[in-house]
Amino acid sequence: MNRSFVSVFVFFAAFTAGIFGDRLTVLKAPQYVSYHEGQWPISGEKIPDLVALTMGFSVQDELGWPAMQMGSLFQRPKANVLLVVRGVDNLDLPHNVASYPLENPVPFTLDSVANTMHALFPDDTPVVLQLAPSEERLYMVGKANTVFEDLPVTLQQIRGRLSQDGSVLPSLPLSSLSRNNEADLLFLSEVQVLHDIAALLLRHKHLAKDHSPDLFSLELAGLEEISRRYGTDSPQFTDAVKILASVLQKFADDVSSIYGGNALIEVVTVKTFEAPLTRKSRSILESKEVNPRNQYNLAYQYNFEYAVIFNIVLWLMIALALAVIAIAYNLWNMDPGYDSIIYRMTNQKIRLD
């Protein structure tokens, strides 16, 4: 009986972990990007590769995730919006396209995708907007920079925005939430940022009609602060979850409408990250660490493309060398009076004279 109880408990734990664990939810997707139904888990460290593949960029390692199927190579989303919600493992988003379990929820950034976009579209104006609780980064060039220059990015600016015209506070059912509390104010500030981004895109629709794709990466930590302050069983946390779910759904609908249905919008819900994201700074006085695997100055390991490149270069050099030898041999043994039309014309003129 104990064995059967343990088996049932393990099965129930695995089942509930697959349903109520951290999730990757696709809110909006173009028709040419399809997702298969099923509990296909994806690792958190693979999220940047997933975003890159959806935008048509190549990645170093194979994703190996069968849940997504891309359509034509000539059709790619005009925008990719990734929303990371910390403090909750699942949100009630009934109008989603698909939802999958998230394994190994480690912190990640989309810097590699942003660098690829700026390298491939140097003359265009791609909108690359990344906002995080610890740092605010607005990577934009040209017209996009002037459009988003008034967007509040610091926490102090966002809090001031709540008391201005166009604030979202009158339209939200605050219930147990209060703007006088620090945790509540952080959550409401993030809701205000989502509203302002959608409003700016709606006001400047030309950004969605250019040839370069756009990238939005927004990390929201308001729910995490509310759960830390009041607890997950508190009415404040319950009201905040309901508000955020409705706000995210409206934000996804607005952005998808602005891009004409060619925007891919994902939501990553993470209870807690397994390791904090730290950015190391270098110092000129820092001693250089020696890799123990390369302390003997050994050559790096060759990849699978080395044999192909080596054969191409080798046989190309051999072919060029044989061509040079053949041309030099024929020129050396050439009869000027018979083979060369230049000498023949010259000799004819000499005889006429």
Side-chain angles (χ1 to χ4, degrees):
M1 181 176 180
N2 293 332
R3 290 183 179 179
S4 60
F5 175 76
V6 172
S7 302
V8 172
F9 177 77
V10 171
F11 173 78
F12 180 76
F15 180 76
T16 54
I19 297 179
F20 300 105
D22 301 332
R23 308 288 294 181
L24 168 65
T25 304
V26 182
L27 280 181
K28 293 291 181 178
Q31 296 180 355
Y32 43 83
V33 181
S34 59
Y35 292 87
H36 301 293
E37 296 182 359
Q39 298 297 320
W40 302 97
I42 184 172
S43 178
E45 59 187 6
K46 293 293 185 179
I47 297 296
D49 292 343
L50 175 65
V51 174
L53 289 175
T54 56
M55 303 188 73
F57 305 149
S58 60
V59 295
Q60 185 176 2
D61 299 328
E62 185 179 358
L63 182 61
W65 191 52
M68 182 185 66
Q69 181 178 0
M70 298 297 296
S72 174
L73 294 175
F74 302 99
Q75 284 185 321
R76 286 294 181 264
K78 296 291 296 180
N80 193 298
V81 182
L82 179 64
L83 301 166
V84 180
V85 180
R86 290 162 45 181
V88 62
D89 51 10
N90 193 11
L91 285 174
D92 185 14
L93 301 169
H95 302 290
N96 63 69
V97 177
S99 182
Y100 305 99
L102 183 68
E103 296 180 346
N104 189 24
V106 295
F108 57 85
T109 62
L110 300 183
D111 292 342
S112 59
V113 184
N115 296 333
T116 303
M117 288 179 56
H118 288 299
L120 295 178
F121 304 95
D123 299 330
D124 296 328
T125 58
V127 178
V128 181
L129 193 150
Q130 293 180 298
L131 294 179
S134 58
E135 57 179 318
E136 299 82 15
R137 292 172 291 169
L138 299 178
Y139 296 154
M140 291 169 286
V141 295
K143 299 178 181 178
N145 189 21
T146 60
V147 169
F148 289 93
E149 63 182 1
D150 296 332
L151 182 68
V153 291
T154 63
L155 189 58
Q156 184 177 2
Q157 294 175 350
I158 297 174
R159 290 173 179 175
R161 177 70 179 86
L162 290 173
S163 59
Q164 299 175 0
D165 295 336
S167 174
V168 297
L169 292 181
S171 62
L172 295 178
L174 297 181
S175 299
S176 59
L177 298 176
S178 174
R179 58 177 299 178
N180 297 324
N181 296 327
E182 191 76 14
D184 302 1
L185 189 59
L186 174 61
F187 171 76
L188 296 175
S189 301
E190 294 175 346
V191 174
Q192 182 67 50
V193 170
L194 294 178
H195 176 269
D196 290 342
I197 291 175
L200 288 173
L201 289 175
L202 183 61
R203 194 182 311 164
H204 304 276
K205 292 185 177 180
H206 62 276
L207 296 176
K209 298 180 181 179
D210 54 7
H211 300 287
S212 59
D214 300 333
L215 178 66
F216 299 87
S217 176
L218 310 175
E219 185 175 345
L220 310 178
L223 277 182
E224 188 178 34
E225 292 296 327
I226 289 180
S227 64
R228 190 177 301 168
R229 175 74 180 274
Y230 305 105
T232 56
D233 298 330
S234 62
Q236 290 87 350
F237 183 80
T238 303
D239 294 338
V241 168
K242 294 180 180 178
I243 292 175
L244 184 60
S246 62
V247 168
L248 290 180
Q249 192 69 58
K250 184 180 183 303
F251 176 78
D253 294 338
D254 294 341
V255 174
S256 179
S257 176
I258 292 171
Y259 284 91
N262 292 321
L264 185 61
I265 303 173
E266 307 102 340
V267 176
V268 174
T269 53
V270 178
K271 187 70 174 179
T272 55
F273 281 119
E274 293 185 354
L277 179 60
T278 58
R279 298 181 178 273
K280 298 181 179 180
S281 59
R282 295 183 178 180
S283 174
I284 58 176
L285 301 179
E286 184 180 3
S287 60
K288 185 178 180 181
E289 297 182 358
V290 179
N291 189 358
R293 297 182 58 184
N294 199 23
Q295 58 182 346
Y296 301 108
N297 195 23
L298 300 178
Y300 61 90
Q301 295 181 355
Y302 299 113
N303 57 10
F304 66 96
E305 296 179 351
Y306 174 78
V308 178
I309 298 176
F310 177 80
N311 278 274
I312 292 175
V313 174
L314 174 64
W315 294 108
L316 182 61
M317 292 298 101
I318 293 177
L320 290 177
L322 293 176
V324 171
I325 294 174
I327 294 172
Y329 177 80
N330 290 329
L331 289 176
W332 183 265
N333 296 281
M334 180 183 295
D335 186 3
Y338 179 77
D339 295 331
S340 176
I341 188 174
I342 299 177
Y343 285 106
R344 196 181 308 170
M345 296 290 295
T346 305
N347 293 335
Q348 186 177 2
K349 290 182 180 180
I350 293 175
R351 295 192 188 97
L352 291 176
D353 292 341

